[in-house]
Short mmCIF file of all heavy atoms in Angstrom, two decimals:
data_model
loop_
_atom_site.label_atom_id
_atom_site.label_comp_id
_atom_site.label_asym_id
_atom_site.label_seq_id
_atom_site.Cartn_x
_atom_site.Cartn_y
_atom_site.Cartn_z
N LEU A 1 0.84 -1.20 0.02
CA LEU A 1 0.02 0.01 0.02
C LEU A 1 0.87 1.23 0.01
O LEU A 1 2.04 1.22 0.36
CB LEU A 1 -0.96 -0.01 1.22
CG LEU A 1 -0.45 0.03 2.62
CD1 LEU A 1 0.04 1.39 3.09
CD2 LEU A 1 -1.47 -0.56 3.56
N ILE A 2 0.23 2.31 -0.40
CA ILE A 2 0.97 3.59 -0.46
C ILE A 2 -0.01 4.68 -0.10
O ILE A 2 -1.16 4.64 -0.59
CB ILE A 2 1.61 3.79 -1.87
CG1 ILE A 2 2.42 5.13 -1.86
CG2 ILE A 2 0.55 3.77 -2.95
CD1 ILE A 2 3.28 5.27 -3.11
N THR A 3 0.36 5.63 0.73
CA THR A 3 -0.42 6.72 1.11
C THR A 3 -0.31 7.86 0.16
O THR A 3 0.65 7.86 -0.72
CB THR A 3 -0.06 7.20 2.56
OG1 THR A 3 1.25 7.84 2.47
CG2 THR A 3 -0.08 6.08 3.50
N ARG A 4 -1.13 8.82 0.24
CA ARG A 4 -1.06 9.97 -0.69
C ARG A 4 0.24 10.75 -0.54
O ARG A 4 0.66 11.39 -1.46
CB ARG A 4 -2.28 10.87 -0.53
CG ARG A 4 -2.38 11.51 0.81
CD ARG A 4 -3.57 12.44 0.89
NE ARG A 4 -3.53 13.52 -0.10
CZ ARG A 4 -4.59 14.32 -0.40
NH1 ARG A 4 -5.77 14.16 0.14
NH2 ARG A 4 -4.41 15.29 -1.38
N GLY A 5 0.77 10.69 0.67
CA GLY A 5 1.97 11.35 0.91
C GLY A 5 3.24 10.56 0.55
O GLY A 5 4.37 11.13 0.56
N GLY A 6 3.14 9.33 0.27
CA GLY A 6 4.23 8.56 -0.20
C GLY A 6 4.69 7.36 0.64
O GLY A 6 5.28 6.37 0.02
N PRO A 7 4.48 7.31 1.92
CA PRO A 7 4.91 6.15 2.69
C PRO A 7 4.31 4.85 2.21
O PRO A 7 3.10 4.87 1.81
CB PRO A 7 4.46 6.49 4.18
CG PRO A 7 4.48 8.01 4.16
CD PRO A 7 3.97 8.39 2.86
N THR A 8 5.05 3.82 2.26
CA THR A 8 4.66 2.54 1.74
C THR A 8 4.70 1.45 2.75
O THR A 8 5.40 1.58 3.74
CB THR A 8 5.43 2.16 0.49
OG1 THR A 8 6.79 2.05 0.87
CG2 THR A 8 5.28 3.16 -0.62
N ASN A 9 4.02 0.39 2.51
CA ASN A 9 4.05 -0.81 3.32
C ASN A 9 3.91 -2.02 2.43
O ASN A 9 3.15 -2.03 1.48
CB ASN A 9 2.97 -0.81 4.38
CG ASN A 9 3.05 -1.90 5.39
OD1 ASN A 9 4.08 -1.99 6.03
ND2 ASN A 9 2.05 -2.71 5.59
N TYR A 10 4.80 -3.01 2.71
CA TYR A 10 4.87 -4.22 1.91
C TYR A 10 4.69 -5.44 2.82
O TYR A 10 5.18 -5.46 3.98
CB TYR A 10 6.15 -4.34 1.18
CG TYR A 10 6.36 -3.26 0.13
CD1 TYR A 10 7.07 -2.08 0.41
CD2 TYR A 10 5.88 -3.44 -1.16
CE1 TYR A 10 7.22 -1.16 -0.55
CE2 TYR A 10 6.10 -2.48 -2.16
CZ TYR A 10 6.83 -1.29 -1.83
OH TYR A 10 7.01 -0.34 -2.72
N ALA A 11 4.03 -6.47 2.26
CA ALA A 11 4.03 -7.81 2.92
C ALA A 11 5.47 -8.34 2.89
O ALA A 11 6.25 -8.06 2.00
CB ALA A 11 3.14 -8.71 2.19
N ASP A 12 5.76 -8.97 3.96
CA ASP A 12 7.11 -9.55 4.10
C ASP A 12 7.51 -10.45 2.92
O ASP A 12 8.69 -10.50 2.45
CB ASP A 12 7.32 -10.35 5.40
CG ASP A 12 7.23 -9.49 6.59
OD1 ASP A 12 7.57 -8.30 6.48
OD2 ASP A 12 7.05 -10.02 7.75
N SER A 13 6.54 -11.08 2.31
CA SER A 13 6.79 -12.00 1.25
C SER A 13 7.19 -11.34 -0.01
O SER A 13 7.74 -12.05 -1.03
CB SER A 13 5.54 -12.94 1.02
OG SER A 13 4.38 -12.08 0.70
N VAL A 14 6.95 -10.07 -0.12
CA VAL A 14 7.25 -9.34 -1.38
C VAL A 14 8.29 -8.27 -1.24
O VAL A 14 8.66 -7.62 -2.22
CB VAL A 14 6.02 -8.75 -2.05
CG1 VAL A 14 4.94 -9.88 -2.21
CG2 VAL A 14 5.40 -7.59 -1.22
N LYS A 15 8.66 -8.06 0.00
CA LYS A 15 9.66 -6.96 0.20
C LYS A 15 10.95 -7.21 -0.56
O LYS A 15 11.39 -8.27 -0.61
CB LYS A 15 9.99 -6.84 1.73
CG LYS A 15 8.94 -6.22 2.55
CD LYS A 15 9.36 -6.15 4.04
CE LYS A 15 8.27 -5.52 4.86
NZ LYS A 15 8.69 -5.45 6.29
N GLY A 16 11.41 -6.19 -1.18
CA GLY A 16 12.58 -6.32 -2.04
C GLY A 16 12.32 -6.75 -3.46
O GLY A 16 13.26 -6.77 -4.26
N ARG A 17 11.11 -7.18 -3.67
CA ARG A 17 10.78 -7.71 -5.02
C ARG A 17 9.74 -6.90 -5.74
O ARG A 17 9.76 -6.69 -6.99
CB ARG A 17 10.30 -9.15 -4.95
CG ARG A 17 11.34 -10.09 -4.40
CD ARG A 17 10.91 -11.53 -4.54
NE ARG A 17 9.70 -11.84 -3.90
CZ ARG A 17 8.50 -12.23 -4.45
NH1 ARG A 17 8.48 -12.30 -5.78
NH2 ARG A 17 7.48 -12.46 -3.75
N PHE A 18 8.76 -6.32 -5.00
CA PHE A 18 7.69 -5.57 -5.54
C PHE A 18 7.86 -4.06 -5.22
O PHE A 18 8.37 -3.79 -4.14
CB PHE A 18 6.33 -6.02 -5.02
CG PHE A 18 5.87 -7.42 -5.48
CD1 PHE A 18 6.78 -8.23 -6.21
CD2 PHE A 18 4.66 -7.90 -5.14
CE1 PHE A 18 6.37 -9.52 -6.62
CE2 PHE A 18 4.26 -9.17 -5.56
CZ PHE A 18 5.06 -9.97 -6.29
N THR A 19 7.36 -3.26 -6.08
CA THR A 19 7.39 -1.85 -5.78
C THR A 19 6.06 -1.18 -6.17
O THR A 19 5.54 -1.41 -7.26
CB THR A 19 8.52 -1.10 -6.64
OG1 THR A 19 9.76 -1.69 -6.32
CG2 THR A 19 8.53 0.32 -6.37
N ILE A 20 5.53 -0.48 -5.21
CA ILE A 20 4.26 0.16 -5.42
C ILE A 20 4.53 1.72 -5.64
O ILE A 20 5.46 2.24 -4.93
CB ILE A 20 3.31 -0.03 -4.24
CG1 ILE A 20 1.86 0.55 -4.61
CG2 ILE A 20 3.76 0.56 -3.02
CD1 ILE A 20 0.79 0.09 -3.63
N SER A 21 3.76 2.34 -6.50
CA SER A 21 3.89 3.72 -6.78
C SER A 21 2.56 4.30 -7.14
O SER A 21 1.67 3.52 -7.53
CB SER A 21 5.01 3.93 -7.91
OG SER A 21 4.60 3.33 -9.11
N ARG A 22 2.45 5.56 -7.07
CA ARG A 22 1.17 6.16 -7.46
C ARG A 22 1.38 7.56 -8.09
O ARG A 22 2.44 8.23 -7.88
CB ARG A 22 0.20 6.35 -6.17
CG ARG A 22 0.81 7.28 -5.16
CD ARG A 22 -0.10 7.30 -3.88
NE ARG A 22 -1.41 7.85 -4.16
CZ ARG A 22 -2.41 7.84 -3.33
NH1 ARG A 22 -2.32 7.22 -2.12
NH2 ARG A 22 -3.65 8.36 -3.67
N ASP A 23 0.42 7.98 -8.81
CA ASP A 23 0.39 9.23 -9.38
C ASP A 23 -0.85 9.92 -8.89
O ASP A 23 -2.00 9.64 -9.40
CB ASP A 23 0.45 9.21 -10.88
CG ASP A 23 0.55 10.56 -11.57
OD1 ASP A 23 0.13 11.54 -11.03
OD2 ASP A 23 1.07 10.59 -12.71
N ASN A 24 -0.80 10.84 -7.96
CA ASN A 24 -1.92 11.46 -7.39
C ASN A 24 -2.71 12.28 -8.37
O ASN A 24 -3.97 12.35 -8.36
CB ASN A 24 -1.53 12.36 -6.22
CG ASN A 24 -1.08 11.52 -5.01
OD1 ASN A 24 -1.43 10.33 -4.84
ND2 ASN A 24 -0.34 12.14 -4.12
N ALA A 25 -2.01 12.88 -9.36
CA ALA A 25 -2.67 13.72 -10.29
C ALA A 25 -3.51 12.82 -11.18
O ALA A 25 -4.56 13.32 -11.69
CB ALA A 25 -1.62 14.47 -11.18
N LYS A 26 -3.08 11.62 -11.53
CA LYS A 26 -3.91 10.77 -12.33
C LYS A 26 -4.77 9.82 -11.59
O LYS A 26 -5.50 9.09 -12.25
CB LYS A 26 -2.96 10.04 -13.30
CG LYS A 26 -2.17 10.94 -14.23
CD LYS A 26 -1.28 10.06 -15.15
CE LYS A 26 -0.47 10.96 -16.20
NZ LYS A 26 0.33 10.15 -17.06
N ASN A 27 -4.59 9.83 -10.24
CA ASN A 27 -5.33 8.79 -9.46
C ASN A 27 -5.14 7.42 -9.84
O ASN A 27 -6.00 6.60 -10.00
CB ASN A 27 -6.84 9.11 -9.47
CG ASN A 27 -7.38 9.42 -8.05
OD1 ASN A 27 -6.65 9.46 -7.09
ND2 ASN A 27 -8.73 9.37 -7.92
N THR A 28 -3.82 7.08 -10.08
CA THR A 28 -3.40 5.72 -10.44
C THR A 28 -2.42 5.16 -9.40
O THR A 28 -1.73 5.94 -8.78
CB THR A 28 -2.82 5.69 -11.83
OG1 THR A 28 -1.66 6.52 -11.89
CG2 THR A 28 -3.80 6.21 -12.89
N VAL A 29 -2.37 3.87 -9.40
CA VAL A 29 -1.36 3.20 -8.56
C VAL A 29 -0.87 1.97 -9.33
O VAL A 29 -1.69 1.24 -9.97
CB VAL A 29 -1.97 2.75 -7.21
CG1 VAL A 29 -3.19 1.82 -7.44
CG2 VAL A 29 -0.93 2.09 -6.34
N ASP A 30 0.38 1.82 -9.36
CA ASP A 30 1.07 0.71 -10.04
C ASP A 30 1.71 -0.22 -9.08
O ASP A 30 2.16 0.19 -7.95
CB ASP A 30 2.07 1.24 -11.08
CG ASP A 30 1.50 1.93 -12.29
OD1 ASP A 30 0.20 2.01 -12.33
OD2 ASP A 30 2.20 2.37 -13.08
N LEU A 31 1.84 -1.41 -9.50
CA LEU A 31 2.63 -2.42 -8.73
C LEU A 31 3.56 -3.10 -9.77
O LEU A 31 3.14 -3.72 -10.70
CB LEU A 31 1.75 -3.46 -8.05
CG LEU A 31 2.43 -4.42 -7.19
CD1 LEU A 31 2.98 -3.72 -5.91
CD2 LEU A 31 1.44 -5.58 -6.79
N GLN A 32 4.88 -2.98 -9.47
CA GLN A 32 5.86 -3.67 -10.22
C GLN A 32 6.24 -4.87 -9.47
O GLN A 32 6.65 -4.81 -8.37
CB GLN A 32 7.10 -2.75 -10.55
CG GLN A 32 6.73 -1.46 -11.26
CD GLN A 32 7.97 -0.54 -11.41
OE1 GLN A 32 9.00 -0.99 -12.01
NE2 GLN A 32 7.93 0.50 -10.93
N LEU A 33 6.17 -6.02 -10.19
CA LEU A 33 6.49 -7.30 -9.58
C LEU A 33 7.75 -7.78 -10.31
O LEU A 33 7.80 -8.08 -11.49
CB LEU A 33 5.37 -8.30 -9.83
CG LEU A 33 4.01 -8.06 -9.20
CD1 LEU A 33 3.22 -6.97 -9.83
CD2 LEU A 33 3.09 -9.31 -9.21
N HIS A 34 8.80 -7.94 -9.46
CA HIS A 34 10.05 -8.40 -9.97
C HIS A 34 10.44 -9.72 -9.19
O HIS A 34 9.99 -10.01 -8.19
CB HIS A 34 11.17 -7.37 -9.76
CG HIS A 34 10.91 -6.13 -10.49
ND1 HIS A 34 10.83 -5.97 -11.80
CD2 HIS A 34 10.69 -4.87 -10.02
CE1 HIS A 34 10.62 -4.77 -12.18
NE2 HIS A 34 10.54 -4.04 -11.15
N ARG A 35 11.32 -10.48 -9.88
CA ARG A 35 11.76 -11.68 -9.37
C ARG A 35 10.56 -12.56 -8.87
O ARG A 35 10.56 -13.08 -7.72
CB ARG A 35 12.72 -11.47 -8.19
CG ARG A 35 13.96 -10.60 -8.55
CD ARG A 35 14.97 -10.45 -7.35
NE ARG A 35 15.43 -11.66 -6.88
CZ ARG A 35 15.35 -12.19 -5.65
NH1 ARG A 35 14.59 -11.51 -4.85
NH2 ARG A 35 15.85 -13.36 -5.36
#
């Protein structure tokens, strides 16, 4: 998850592999899944 201000939280199982990001202007959120 990601707050509007930027802080994020990840499940332990995906830490270091997934990245969440958002664009507040577009009201979108992305999740990059790696490894």
Side-chain angles (χ1 to χ4, degrees):
L1 60 82
I2 183 168
T3 69
R4 64 180 298 170
T8 59
N9 187 56
Y10 295 92
D12 289 340
S13 60
V14 307
K15 286 182 179 178
R17 299 189 299 116
F18 293 5
T19 301
I20 188 170
S21 61
R22 67 185 292 173
D23 185 334
N24 290 339
K26 297 181 178 180
N27 235 9
T28 60
V29 59
D30 288 359
L31 184 69
Q32 299 179 61
L33 297 73
H34 299 296
R35 300 183 64 242

